[in-house]
Amino acid sequence: MKSFEKAALLFLLRHLLAGIAGAVVLASGLLWFDVARLATLIGSSEYGITATVMLYAGLMLTFGSVSMGIGIMALNEDTRP
């Protein structure tokens, strides 16, 4: 693997991990503060673990993709006044 390829992959990985971290914080906050009684609903369901995994996975996928997209689009920003 060439050095510029490694640098590009590390750039994307950093943005992906930032998005995943944001998703974990949001999902944990939603469940901790029981926003819209979400934690109560999940806790009383027989599929609570599945719902929790789907909540975290869906937010991680979404936030990770958005974070990588923002990182890519910000690469060629013009800094001229």
Side-chain angles (χ1 to χ4, degrees):
M1 183 178 294
K2 297 177 182 168
S3 65
F4 69 90
E5 293 172 334
K6 198 176 284 190
L9 287 176
L10 287 174
F11 175 81
L12 287 175
L13 183 62
R14 274 194 309 263
H15 282 83
L16 176 65
L17 292 177
I20 288 174
V24 168
V25 168
L26 177 66
S28 298
L30 287 173
L31 294 176
W32 180 264
F33 293 111
D34 200 14
V35 176
R37 296 178 43 126
L38 183 61
T40 305
L41 180 65
I42 288 175
S44 65
S45 172
E46 68 178 279
Y47 300 107
I49 294 174
T50 304
T52 304
V53 169
M54 289 178 67
L55 172 69
Y56 276 91
L59 287 175
M60 286 179 187
L61 178 68
T62 303
F63 280 45
S65 299
V66 168
S67 180
M68 287 193 305
I70 289 171
I72 290 169
M73 287 186 252
L75 278 175
N76 198 18
E77 281 191 356
D78 193 10
T79 57
R80 287 181 276 165

